[in-house]
Amino acid sequence: MKNGLTWKQAVLFFLLAAVLAAGCAKKQTVKSGDVSGETASSATPAPGAEAIGETPVTEAPVPKPGESTVLAARAAEAGVAVTEEKPSRFTDVRFDFDKADLTEEGKRSCQVVAEYMKKNPKARVTVEGHCDERGSAEYNLALGERRAVTVKNYLVSLGVPKGAISTVSFGKERPVDPGHNEEAWAKNRRAHFLLK
Amino acid sequence: MRRSTKLAGTLGLLCTLLLPSAASPVLYIDINAPGGKRMPIAVASFVVASGDPALSRSVPKVLEGDLALTDLFDLVPEKSHMEAVTPAHFSGTPLSFPAWKVIGAEAVVIGKVDTRGDQVSVEMRLYDATQGTLMAGKRYTGTPRQVRGIAHRFANEIVYAFTGVRGIFGTEIAFTARPGAGKGKGKEIYIVGMDGQELRQVTDNRSFNLFPHWSPDGQWLAYTSYRTGVPVIYLRNVAGGSEKEGVRFGNTKSPGGFSPDGQWLYAAVSQDGNSDIYRVRVVGGTAETVVGGYGLDVSPSPSPDGRGLVFVSDRGGSPQVYVKTLGEANGVRISHGSGYATSPSWSPAGNRIAFTARAEGKFAVFTVAPDGSDLRQVTGAPDGDCEDPSFSPDGRYLVYSYRKRGYSELKIISTDGRQERTLASGLGDMGSPAWSPGR
């Protein structure tokens, strides 16, 4: 940094400051809801000039109405109990890490479900796909979906009508075993059957 | 008034001509020189002309807290300050700069608060104590609860005055967590200030609320909610809380980033067990396929120029990171190895991509050039998993989730890995952090 204004420069400097400050003070306006004001007024003041820029910090703008479905606000949010595992009369289908292929054991679980569905034509089943906790939540969501659809397709191949089966993935969000080891992970990589 | 403004303009020009040294821009701090000299700065107690006397210290504390988050400043503690700032210092009386220099301050911040009913006016000035010159000065008005935000804005001015790069104070991080220290079964969306303050819960529906992503104007959050029993992508107005459905087709879906112009939302949508990447018009909902074909394609993050896209695909057998130019086919893999690479985030300057990959059995955060060259590991925790990176608006930091068995927290790390701090902890399964755009 460089030192030293002459006293003449200093006097001029403060005179300028006074003039600029007076000019700015009169321009003060505060508009509610105006955020764009900042761009116009935040120009860097000329170096050396003691100009106080002013920037309105305003209330958050009123939300635009949604184009079509404006859904209820927070107060009206109604949660559906999807966060806890509901017990099933069927055995879960288990999967290997990062895989959605059916094992022989998994196929046997599916066969039991298929027999039941064929004997009970009015029954409806939801296949839930789940993953273990490792890896990204987004990828696991898609992997859980692929597991559920693999099971659905196998049930269809065994004669269950397509319309009787729905699928949903919970990715890694709803482990049945909260542990952080191989045993827990193996249980959590699963397709779970729920009769409706 | 018109005349005086014109006069001031003329004199301002004159001033520039007379004082050429003051007019030339001075780069005080080179932010690209890590470990360089820090600027010693003093934030004086504020003058409270009217209103709550506690503001005299509480506003400087916000400024000091912000400046301390950077590695650019050394704060000269208040107890060593020798000069008491008075209202006269805001109407022409110069500060006694030697009294600041002698305690080691090369820069001084002063401020004045004026409360009139429900309006607070805060004037703040930054001086170069060595030259005795004003580097930045602003007067802000707002409601009492906006005072923190006002202080953040001036902290950004201070950083800008010294570095030429806007600060990121007042920005926020949206993330997901299980409430009640993880005892809650669902996951809700939360927002926390980048300084770790002002944590608030956004959703409260006891289902799964996942993958928050900010619109470029910072007004909307796209996220997936299971509150109707199945996954639905909502666009939520952050300030008002109103929502609309963002993607109206497919089964499982997760939002990625918005296009830089805010007109499109990128999202991964599964149909028949196969996840592809689409972009959907925020207004109207028209959808276009961006990445299709066999393989799970998820986690789209557009480049800041809007022409490229980075995403995850398992088309090669395991999830890996790919970059493609929009309108062209396929994409090029930029992650290495046979492991597992996910969660890409494109830097605001466009020159780096952060992502999660496995390193020695754990997940760590890496950055890489968009062509796959110059891979660097950013996080080095040997005992836990570091995942889900998201860039700060100035590109200098990454927020990510840290997990070790049942424990989790959010951390912020400089992209060179030198500086790290905990942003938030105390909730369960904290993850999917998304840094808001600049303010």
Side-chain angles (χ1 to χ4, degrees):
Chain A
M1 286 183 220
K2 223 173 114 184
N3 268 319
L5 302 176
T6 66
W7 68 270
K8 277 183 191 167
Q9 284 172 322
V11 167
L12 178 63
F13 178 86
F14 284 113
L15 280 174
L16 283 171
V19 172
L20 290 177
C24 286
K26 284 181 199 158
K27 281 193 287 180
Q28 238 195 104
T29 48
V30 179
K31 266 191 269 171
S32 185
D34 178 16
V35 171
S36 59
E38 169 142 23
T39 345
S41 59
S42 65
T44 319
E50 293 217 26
I52 300 295
E54 51 150 332
T55 307
V57 173
T58 56
E59 286 287 5
V62 178
K64 293 173 221 156
E67 282 70 42
S68 50
T69 350
V70 176
L71 296 157
R74 175 174 176 163
E77 282 186 5
V80 168
V82 295
T83 58
E84 284 185 65
E85 180 108 326
K86 290 193 193 102
S88 174
R89 61 185 295 154
F90 304 113
T91 308
D92 284 355
V93 176
R94 292 202 188 171
F95 296 89
D96 292 336
F97 176 68
D98 196 22
K99 291 281 185 290
D101 316 299
L102 291 172
T103 60
E104 288 310 311
E105 195 185 339
K107 284 180 182 172
R108 281 194 291 278
S109 301
C110 291
Q111 285 153 11
V112 174
V113 177
E115 286 312 307
Y116 177 89
M117 295 299 289
K118 285 190 275 186
K119 278 182 198 153
N120 299 274
K122 283 184 181 166
R124 296 288 178 269
V125 70
T126 298
V127 185
E128 296 177 352
H130 298 272
C131 304
D132 72 34
E133 63 176 347
R134 294 169 295 171
S136 84
E138 288 93 337
Y139 179 75
N140 277 311
L141 198 66
L143 181 61
E145 176 83 14
R146 180 182 271 176
R147 285 175 178 162
V149 170
T150 301
V151 168
K152 175 184 175 173
N153 291 344
Y154 187 60
L155 293 178
V156 171
S157 78
L158 295 173
V160 182
K162 240 184 182 173
I165 313 162
S166 58
T167 59
V168 64
S169 171
F170 288 97
K172 62 191 234 180
E173 307 306 327
R174 212 179 71 189
V176 68
D177 184 327
H180 307 283
N181 48 49
E182 290 291 348
E183 194 192 341
W185 294 331
K187 281 187 204 162
N188 290 333
R189 295 188 298 263
R190 70 201 191 277
H192 186 73
F193 300 99
L194 277 187
L195 285 173
K196 282 194 269 197
Chain B
M1 171 174 159
R2 172 169 291 214
R3 179 180 284 177
S4 77
T5 310
K6 197 175 173 186
L7 182 65
T10 314
L11 287 175
L13 181 65
L14 190 64
C15 171
T16 327
L17 292 171
L18 286 175
L19 303 171
S21 64
S24 53
V26 180
L27 187 66
Y28 288 82
I29 301 176
D30 182 1
I31 54 166
N32 295 316
K37 180 182 169 291
R38 292 162 179 248
M39 173 61 61
I41 189 168
V43 184
S45 290
F46 276 26
V47 173
V48 181
S50 56
D52 183 359
L55 292 166
S56 172
R57 278 316 297 159
S58 63
V59 187
K61 277 209 152 52
V62 177
L63 287 171
E64 288 176 344
D66 283 348
L67 298 178
L69 290 176
T70 72
D71 54 354
L72 306 175
F73 300 97
D74 276 328
L75 291 159
V76 179
E78 190 239 341
K79 62 177 189 295
S80 68
H81 298 181
M82 288 158 58
E83 183 179 29
V85 179
T86 68
H89 291 122
F90 296 87
S91 51
T93 307
L95 285 170
S96 170
F97 290 109
W100 295 97
K101 276 169 70 179
V102 77
I103 59 169
E106 291 180 30
V108 186
V109 178
I110 65 170
K112 187 176 71 150
V113 183
D114 222 327
T115 312
R116 296 274 156 83
D118 199 35
Q119 281 286 304
V120 183
S121 161
V122 186
E123 180 175 328
M124 285 171 277
R125 300 180 180 203
L126 168 67
Y127 286 95
D128 177 331
T130 305
Q131 293 202 20
T133 50
L134 181 77
M135 295 177 67
K138 292 263 167 154
R139 186 183 300 126
Y140 302 87
T141 45
T143 62
R145 65 177 190 86
Q146 290 177 316
V147 168
R148 282 187 72 87
I150 287 172
H152 289 317
R153 286 205 182 193
F154 195 68
N156 287 333
E157 295 293 335
I158 294 171
V159 170
Y160 182 80
F162 281 112
T163 66
V165 177
R166 284 201 70 78
I168 52 171
F169 309 119
T171 58
E172 297 176 310
I173 287 99
F175 63 97
T176 60
R178 298 184 198 271
K183 293 194 183 76
K185 300 280 186 191
K187 258 190 191 175
E188 306 287 357
I189 310 271
Y190 293 80
I191 292 177
V192 67
M194 63 76 70
D195 56 359
Q197 302 294 307
E198 298 178 278
L199 174 72
R200 62 185 200 270
Q201 190 174 336
V202 176
T203 60
D204 185 14
N205 58 46
R206 291 166 294 278
S207 74
F208 297 112
N209 300 281
L210 309 167
F211 319 125
H213 287 273
W214 296 90
S215 63
D217 64 5
Q219 296 205 23
W220 298 85
L221 273 181
Y223 72 102
T224 294
S225 178
Y226 278 73
R227 67 170 180 254
T228 62
V230 294
V232 174
I233 292 179
Y234 296 100
L235 295 173
R236 181 185 185 100
N237 182 281
V238 180
S242 68
E243 296 193 334
K244 58 176 180 168
E245 202 173 327
V247 177
R248 285 178 210 155
F249 63 98
N251 213 354
T252 291
K253 34 188 147 344
S254 55
F258 286 78
S259 63
D261 62 9
Q263 300 209 358
W264 299 91
L265 172 67
Y266 288 85
V269 181
S270 282
Q271 299 184 97
D272 298 324
N274 188 38
S275 178
D276 291 329
I277 291 167
Y278 298 82
R279 61 176 194 171
V280 181
R281 282 245 178 229
V282 170
V283 176
T286 321
E288 294 175 3
T289 307
V290 179
V291 180
Y294 182 78
L296 300 180
D297 303 312
V298 295
S299 299
S301 170
S303 65
D305 67 5
R307 293 161 60 188
L309 187 77
V310 62
F311 61 98
V312 169
S313 178
D314 78 342
R315 62 179 69 156
S318 67
Q320 298 292 340
V321 178
Y322 292 77
V323 166
K324 76 172 277 175
T325 304
L326 291 172
E328 291 176 15
N330 300 321
V332 177
R333 180 173 153 183
I334 61 161
S335 54
H336 306 265
S338 58
Y340 197 108
T342 59
S343 314
S345 164
W346 213 308
S347 76
N351 60 334
R352 303 295 289 175
I353 289 166
F355 65 101
T356 307
R358 282 204 131 166
E360 292 158 27
K362 299 288 179 195
F363 288 101
V365 172
F366 293 79
T367 66
V368 70
D371 65 359
S373 67
D374 193 20
L375 180 74
R376 298 179 211 162
Q377 185 170 346
V378 181
T379 63
D383 58 342
D385 293 315
C386 302
E387 299 176 80
D388 292 345
S390 170
F391 274 101
S392 61
D394 65 355
R396 299 188 64 216
Y397 299 91
L398 288 161
V399 60
Y400 68 94
S401 68
Y402 169 81
R403 286 193 174 84
K404 185 187 178 184
R405 298 184 69 80
Y407 176 79
S408 69
E409 62 183 36
L410 298 182
K411 288 185 161 193
I412 287 177
I413 191 166
S414 57
T415 46
D416 63 9
R418 285 165 179 261
Q419 254 193 303
E420 191 172 35
R421 66 183 164 95
T422 296
L423 171 70
S425 61
L427 294 161
D429 205 0
M430 300 169 84
S432 298
W435 209 312
S436 78
R439 292 287 149 89

